[in-house]
Amino acid sequence: MGFLIFTLFLFFTVICAERNGPIQTFVIPHSHMDVGWVYTIQESMHAYAANVYSSVTEALTQNKQRKFIAVEQEFFRLWWDSVATDKHKKQVRQLLKESRLEFVIGGQVMHDEAVTDLDDEILQLTEGHGFLYETFGVRPRFSWHVDPFGASATTPVLFALAGFHAHLISRIDYDLKDGMQKSKKLQFVWRGSPSLKEQQEIFTHTMDQFSYCTPSYLPFSNSSGFYWNGVALFPDPPKNGIYPNMSLPVTKETLHSYAKTMVQNIQQRAVWFRTNHVLWPWGCDKQFYNSSVQFSNMDPLVEYINQNSKEFGVTVQYATLSEYFQAVHQSNLTWEVRGSEDFLPYSTEPFQAWTGFYASRNVLKGIARRASSQLHAVETLFTRYRVNYPDGPVPKEEALQKLKALRWAVSEVQHHDGITGTESPKVSDMYIEHLTQAMMGVEELLAALFLLPQALGTASNSEAFNRQDSHSKGSHQDLEQHIIVYNPLAWNTTAIINVTVTFPMATVFDDQGQPVPAQTQSSADSNMTYDLFIVVDLGGLQHKKYLIKFSEKPGKEGSLTHQAWVVSFKRLNVSQELKTGRRLLPVLNECYKIMLDQDTNLLHSITDRHEKRTVRMSQDFWEYQVNGNVSAGPISDNYIFSANGSAVRAYKAVKMEIVPGKIITEIRQYFYREETDEDYTYSQSYSLGPLVVNTEAVLRTKTSLKNNRTLFTDDNGYQMMKRPSRTFVNDSVARNYYPMVRMAYIEDDSSRLVLLSERAHGASSQSEGELEVMLHRRLWNNQEWTLSYNLTLNDSSVVRPVLWMTLGSLAATSSLYQREALELQHRPVVMPIDRPQKAWRKEPRTRSPIRPVVLPDNLHLLTLSVPGWVYNSNHTLHLRNIETGSTQPDYDRVLLRIMHLYEKGEDPVLSQPSTINMKEVLRGMGEVRALEERSLTGTWDIADLQRWKWKASEDPGRGVSVGVKRSSVGVRGEFNVTISPKEIRTFFVYFKLK
């Protein structure tokens, strides 16, 4: 061992000599604090998280050389609000002024990058940035995305839009990182959007193979190194202050050995980077809860290395992340450009493809996205209410508290061990509890906005309908129910909503008293209820009231309601040898002709009636059987998907029902695991589970398309990524799986098959013409680590994801799928405002309909909210207000984001830049009096935002600071805004209040 160390030391000495000077080492103290994972947030706060910020604040105050970076805001905000003393708060403000405490990323959490939606990534970043800016006047400029399981190309775009100078990632494919290390390409300029390119490029640093943790091996001790405060203890901190696995203290006897170990690691890392600077992260998971012990051991080590820097060839200093990136930037090198490729999927070893979490905890993924959609709807509704009724009956303080609770819950679950489904069951339950409680509060707000007098110009029940004590003749025959339907998108829409009712027949009328097309039929979920499908026409951000009149008999003459009946087909056994295609049953609508095989009860083909092209197609359920015994080979777990072989058919019999109707025709398929099973395991509605243990369930759509096993999936709902099939020596099935957040498709020269989803899944094209979506997982393994943390994913739930499918030409689908994905995500909100009861007498209408807000077809209203931030949008005034303590929530400032949905060249019309007049577009809400363009999270005036320019190989200009060149809209009465392909533009809007 001694000879080995000596050889390494000689080698690194040569490297230092080639660098012409000592290696400048930036020791960055940090603590990786998971907002969830194994322990709940409350457990973590009690065991260590609160102590991190208390002890760091005290330790940094004691020594001017010490520094620290704080990352996730959730724990800091909880500490600041409920633990920090006035003395702590004063010390924090001073440390920020001295730039010794630095906030990096600044989001509520360190969000996952694979299965998170664009809306929610922006939300959680905005939540954290808003708190930091209103509390301290600081705005993070650097990212520290060290733990998400793969890196999306969307994230660097968002961080650039938020004003970041540089981006930092770590977890990328092991073999890719190895090659990048050897070729010194761990750092590059990333142009994450093919449409925005250099406009939103960002310098990106990839951590080396040691990642964000300090190397803990000590050749002179059996204890781990550099973790002098040991390992956090749950559930309670030890009363004597002695933690497990505390490193050997730095003394006169150990000082040189510690220094030699640290220097050798620094020199090893230096070889992998182009500049003379080494980022040396000091910390790991749950560290610095006893910062005094940490720094009192590191202080003499730093001093000793610097005193002997000529011998070691290294200097070290405590640093923040900004200091490291500033040194690299000042090196003025030219960096290679990386295009819009992402770093997904992520693998750590040949049989460890981290693609399983794309589908882990499907229920949680669904609830999280449903909460996000609900938040979007209520934010837009409350904003409209505030503009029109600033002194209305809905208390603004109470409304904002309900909105903030859901913003917090939706932000929290975006954590990289949250929505990923990689957490313990109790943490999953915690996320769901926080989401559902906040959703209940927002539902109360929704009801108030709809129903209280003057809300959005809608009369209350008492105004709109007068209950009669003595009912008119014939009123006893029918019952009535009233619903309100709201369109949360800024487009006009015609949609079909489904209302569950207990009557077989109903007639529906709009708020003008006109009959509305509708359809009733038996429900697939219950023998006691019926589905009432209603066609609704709604303008953008518009809601309407509908009257449902129930009856036991068919509707009267002239009614637009159709009653549909279920046609049942007997259960059929299915085998590989069964001849198919002999008896086909057609089901048609205006767009498609679907052929069903009566020998199997399965789909046979779909014909696009407009393009007159038929695609052979089957769609059914398959399962991957996986190993749970670590001694028997690779295993699947919360994170990893490792298939034993190809998927096997998940059923032996299929039953079918068809409900032909004038509004919709429903095809119900039920898949039985065994021929004699009474209950089905899968249904095409889609219902899955409970699964057999160590089973991963997929929906496989097999077509005649010649796609060359190439798949397209979305990066966070922002942009599509091409996923060619790749061949590996090991684990090719799992390593060809990709995250599908909103959509996935396959195509050939003439047709494209698109699947849209309202929650994240995994997707793959394992064979020619196939699109496979992993919908559910249930796993157990005997790995000691997973058992000790209860991370086995024994998920026995029944899941009901929603998928929409579109088939058409490349041109037709290119213009549709982005909008359709949003229409699925943000379906009309249906709110019953009473129960079926005897008829009410309608009063004459006294209010005009709500005016719609409608954007062009290629633009999407990403955000419309009243943040309620406690800061002045003028930075100088805001800093002054912080000093004087004169800050109040602003209930009149509206946060608006508009996104261009299309890439350059994607569509001949929709891919063009779109110019809108903001006053005209928003006239349906009110009169716009002022408009300010801001950075993505709102903390920067766009005119003041300057980002570092990095020399790039494709544009070797000088590395100077540049800003976003935009005119100040709204200042001189100019409200025209041009939005180019894939741009996201953010504004503060001020309306003239009524």
Side-chain angles (χ1 to χ4, degrees), residues 27 218 220 225-226 228 250-251 254-263 280 282 294-308 312 316 318:
V27 177
L218 295 177
F220 57 90
F226 307 98
W228 293 285
V250 175
T251 63
T254 62
L255 180 60
H256 182 75
S257 297
Y258 260 116
K260 190 175 180 181
T261 301
M262 183 173 176
V263 165
W280 204 77
W282 176 35
Q294 288 282 84
F295 281 109
S296 62
N297 280 277
M298 183 61 88
D299 287 347
L301 184 55
V302 168
E303 182 181 5
Y304 179 76
I305 293 174
N306 288 332
Q307 288 174 347
N308 297 276
F312 288 127
V316 295
Y318 291 130

Side-chain angles (χ1 to χ4, degrees), residues 624-886:
Y624 287 99
Q625 309 299 326
V626 297
N627 173 44
N629 185 355
V630 293
S631 61
I635 60 169
S636 277
D637 61 19
N638 288 32
Y639 307 87
I640 295 166
F641 169 41
S642 183
N644 280 345
S646 300
V648 297
R649 197 186 299 269
Y651 59 93
K652 292 184 179 177
V654 183
K655 178 184 174 183
M656 181 171 65
E657 296 174 346
I658 299 179
V659 191
K662 294 183 179 179
I663 304 298
I664 71 164
T665 293
E666 186 175 4
I667 301 168
R668 304 169 180 170
Q669 293 169 307
Y670 305 93
F671 296 79
Y672 297 82
R673 186 178 298 281
E674 299 295 337
E675 297 172 1
T676 57
D677 285 356
E678 292 185 10
D679 298 323
Y680 58 85
T681 305
Y682 301 93
S683 73
Q684 197 75 333
S685 44
Y686 295 91
S687 171
L688 301 88
L691 301 181
V692 175
V693 174
N694 286 333
T695 296
E696 318 215 19
V698 302
L699 176 71
R700 178 174 289 178
T701 305
K702 186 172 179 61
T703 74
S704 55
L705 298 181
K706 305 299 181 184
N707 74 318
N708 196 30
R709 295 173 62 195
T710 296
L711 174 74
F712 294 81
T713 66
D714 66 306
D715 254 15
N716 314 108
Y718 177 68
Q719 56 192 351
M720 299 303 296
M721 310 297 293
K722 187 177 182 179
R723 313 293 196 182
S725 177
R726 302 178 300 165
T727 302
F728 300 93
V729 175
N730 301 305
D731 222 17
S732 283
V733 171
R735 296 184 77 176
N736 276 290
Y737 254 86
Y738 297 89
M740 167 190 175
V741 178
R742 290 186 189 171
M743 64 198 92
Y745 64 76
I746 59 173
E747 65 183 23
D748 59 16
D749 292 338
S750 56
S751 293
R752 177 182 289 151
L753 174 73
V754 184
L755 287 181
L756 307 171
S757 176
E758 38 69 85
R759 69 189 72 181
H761 304 291
S764 185
S765 182
Q766 295 287 336
S767 300
E768 181 76 350
E770 285 186 2
L771 174 50
E772 181 174 291
V773 180
M774 185 176 290
L775 299 176
H776 198 12
R777 317 176 74 218
R778 185 180 183 183
L779 306 169
W780 186 90
N781 66 72
N782 58 2
Q783 188 179 53
E784 184 177 349
W785 180 80
T786 38
L787 290 175
S788 63
Y789 287 126
N790 195 15
L791 295 173
T792 58
L793 197 65
N794 191 4
D795 185 352
S796 60
S797 63
V798 175
V799 302
R800 293 179 174 84
V802 177
L803 295 173
W804 286 2
M805 183 169 72
T806 300
L807 176 68
S809 67
L810 305 187
T813 54
S814 290
S815 65
L816 290 175
Y817 70 84
Q818 292 278 12
R819 285 172 58 93
E820 288 180 338
L822 287 165
E823 287 168 351
L824 172 58
Q825 181 70 29
H826 299 291
R827 285 164 282 178
V829 176
V830 181
M831 181 179 174
I833 60 177
D834 56 18
R835 295 180 179 179
Q837 54 194 303
K838 292 181 180 180
W840 294 12
R841 178 165 54 85
K842 187 174 181 180
E843 292 293 306
R845 291 185 53 83
T846 58
R847 300 187 183 276
S848 26
I850 298 162
R851 296 183 62 181
V853 175
V854 182
L855 290 175
D857 289 347
N858 56 0
L859 300 184
H860 167 50
L861 184 64
L862 193 67
T863 306
L864 183 70
S865 69
V866 177
W869 286 320
V870 184
Y871 65 74
N872 193 301
S873 58
N874 181 294
H875 184 63
T876 303
L877 289 178
H878 175 53
L879 295 181
R880 190 181 306 159
N881 290 340
I882 291 176
E883 291 292 332
T884 60
S886 55

Side-chain angles (χ1 to χ4, degrees), residues 427-649:
V427 174
S428 176
D429 292 343
M430 177 202 70
Y431 290 132
I432 291 174
E433 180 184 358
H434 291 178
L435 287 165
T436 52
Q437 286 182 348
M439 290 168 73
M440 288 172 62
V442 163
E443 285 172 4
E444 294 173 358
L445 175 59
L446 184 68
L449 294 173
F450 277 143
L451 300 179
L452 285 181
Q454 298 183 336
L456 298 179
T458 301
S460 71
N461 278 359
S462 59
E463 290 178 289
F465 296 95
N466 221 7
R467 181 75 178 268
Q468 290 184 311
D469 294 327
S470 57
H471 302 288
S472 60
K473 183 179 179 181
S475 64
H476 66 281
Q477 295 178 356
D478 296 329
L479 299 182
E480 293 182 351
Q481 185 176 16
H482 307 88
I483 62 172
I484 292 177
V485 184
Y486 175 60
N487 172 22
L489 294 170
W491 303 318
N492 296 332
T493 186
T494 298
I496 299 173
I497 63 170
N498 184 8
V499 180
T500 300
V501 297
T502 56
F503 294 87
M505 194 60 199
T507 306
V508 184
F509 301 89
D510 64 16
D511 53 3
Q512 303 297 319
Q514 297 300 311
V516 173
Q519 175 178 317
T520 60
Q521 63 189 50
S522 297
S523 173
D525 298 325
S526 170
N527 294 327
M528 305 297 293
T529 60
Y530 299 87
D531 292 328
L532 173 59
F533 295 100
I534 306 171
V535 179
V536 295
D537 289 305
L538 295 164
L541 304 186
Q542 185 182 60
H543 75 266
K544 291 181 180 179
K545 189 182 301 178
Y546 291 85
L547 167 65
I548 304 171
K549 291 188 174 184
F550 296 107
S551 174
E552 297 287 349
K553 299 177 181 180
K556 299 177 182 179
E557 186 176 350
S559 169
L560 297 182
T561 299
H562 168 73
Q563 191 168 16
W565 302 95
V566 177
V567 179
S568 297
F569 295 78
K570 68 176 183 179
R571 184 197 297 196
L572 296 174
N573 297 337
V574 178
S575 65
Q576 298 282 2
E577 297 79 21
L578 189 66
K579 292 183 179 180
T580 60
R582 297 174 301 174
R583 298 187 300 135
L584 300 180
L585 176 66
V587 178
L588 291 80
N589 68 9
E590 293 180 358
C591 300
Y592 300 111
K593 179 173 73 173
I594 296 176
M595 302 298 284
L596 299 166
D597 194 328
Q598 295 186 77
D599 290 322
T600 61
N601 286 337
L602 296 173
L603 178 64
H604 176 270
S605 63
I606 298 181
T607 299
D608 180 346
R609 299 181 69 185
H610 293 297
E611 300 292 331
K612 295 181 173 56
R613 187 185 183 205
T614 298
V615 175
R616 282 292 305 271
M617 187 181 302
S618 64
Q619 192 174 69
D620 54 359
F621 295 96
W622 294 67
E623 293 176 344
Y624 287 99
Q625 309 299 326
V626 297
N627 173 44
N629 185 355
V630 293
S631 61
I635 60 169
S636 277
D637 61 19
N638 288 32
Y639 307 87
I640 295 166
F641 169 41
S642 183
N644 280 345
S646 300
V648 297
R649 197 186 299 269

